[in-house]
C-alpha cells in the first residue's frame, strides 16, 4: 500500500519472490522517479491500482482479504484470498502514510499514532508484529527499522512453529 518512491521500490524487490505484487496507490499516478516507474511497469507480476486506499484488513487468525475504497467514486471493493483461485494474499506491506495504524487491525493497542510492541516486536494481538516507523519508539531511522525486522522475523518463525 503506497504509491511513492519507497512503495514502488519495495514492490520491485518483492516481485523477485512473489507470484504477484499489487500496488495500491492513493494517487492518480505513481509518485516516483520515471526510471523506477518504468522498471515497475516492465514487470509482468506487478499490478498497479490507483486512487484507492486500504480501509480494512479481513480475517480472524490469518489475513484472507483486503477492503479498499476508490477515492474518486467512494466505491468499496474487497480482494478475497481463495485457495482455489489465483489470488493468494500472503501479506500486506503498508508504506508510511498509506493507512493509519488505528484502522489497521481492530483492537490493536496504540501509543498515539504508533503501534505498541514488546521487545520481540509483538503487538497485543497474537501473531501480529509491527516493525519500523509505525511502532512506538524514540528513534526513527532505517537502521532501527532493520533491527526491528530481524527481531520480528525470528519471533514470527517461533510463533508459526
Amino acid at each position: 500500500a503506497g504509491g511513492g518512491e519507497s512503495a514502488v521500490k519495495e514492490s520491485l524487490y518483492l516481485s523477485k519472490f512473489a507470484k504477484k505484487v499489487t500496488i495500491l496507490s492513493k494517487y492518480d499516478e505513481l509518485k516516483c522517479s520515471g526510471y523506477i516507474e518504468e522498471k515497475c511497469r516492465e514487470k509482468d507480476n506487478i499490478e498497479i491500482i490507483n486512487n484507492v486506499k486500504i480501509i480494512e484488513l479481513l480475517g480472524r487468525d490469518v489475513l484472507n482479504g483486503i477492503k479498499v475504497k476508490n477515492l474518486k467514486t467512494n466505491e468499496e471493493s474487497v480482494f478475497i484470498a481463495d485457495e482455489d483461485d489465483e489470488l493468494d494474499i500472503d501479506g500486506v506491506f503498508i508504506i508510511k502514510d498509506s493507512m493509519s495504524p488505528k484502522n489497521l487491525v481492530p483492537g490493536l493497542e496504540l501509543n498515539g499514532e504508533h503501534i505498541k510492541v514488546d521487545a520481540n516486536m509483538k503487538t497485543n494481538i497474537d501473531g501480529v508484529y509491527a516493525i519500523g516507523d509505525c511502532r512506538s519508539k524514540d528513534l526513527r531511522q532505517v537502521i532501527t527499522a532493520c533491527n526491528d525486522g530481524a527481531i520480528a522475523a525470528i519471533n514470527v518463525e517461533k510463533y508459526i512453529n
Side-chain angles (χ1 to χ4, degrees), residues 86-149:
E86 211 174 274
L87 180 62
D88 187 17
I89 300 171
D90 288 326
V92 175
F93 295 84
I94 309 294
I95 304 300
K96 187 177 176 183
D97 297 332
S98 298
M99 184 178 185
S100 171
K102 67 182 171 191
N103 299 327
L104 192 57
V105 178
L108 197 59
E109 191 175 344
L110 303 177
N111 180 8
E113 284 293 311
H114 296 96
I115 302 169
K116 283 188 178 181
V117 297
D118 65 15
N120 295 321
M121 304 302 130
K122 185 183 177 311
T123 68
N124 62 302
I125 299 172
D126 279 341
V128 177
Y129 295 77
I131 62 171
D133 290 352
C134 68
R135 78 174 189 90
S136 183
K137 61 183 180 176
D138 293 331
L139 184 59
R140 300 191 187 290
Q141 292 181 349
V142 72
I143 193 69
T144 63
C146 293
N147 178 61
D148 292 354

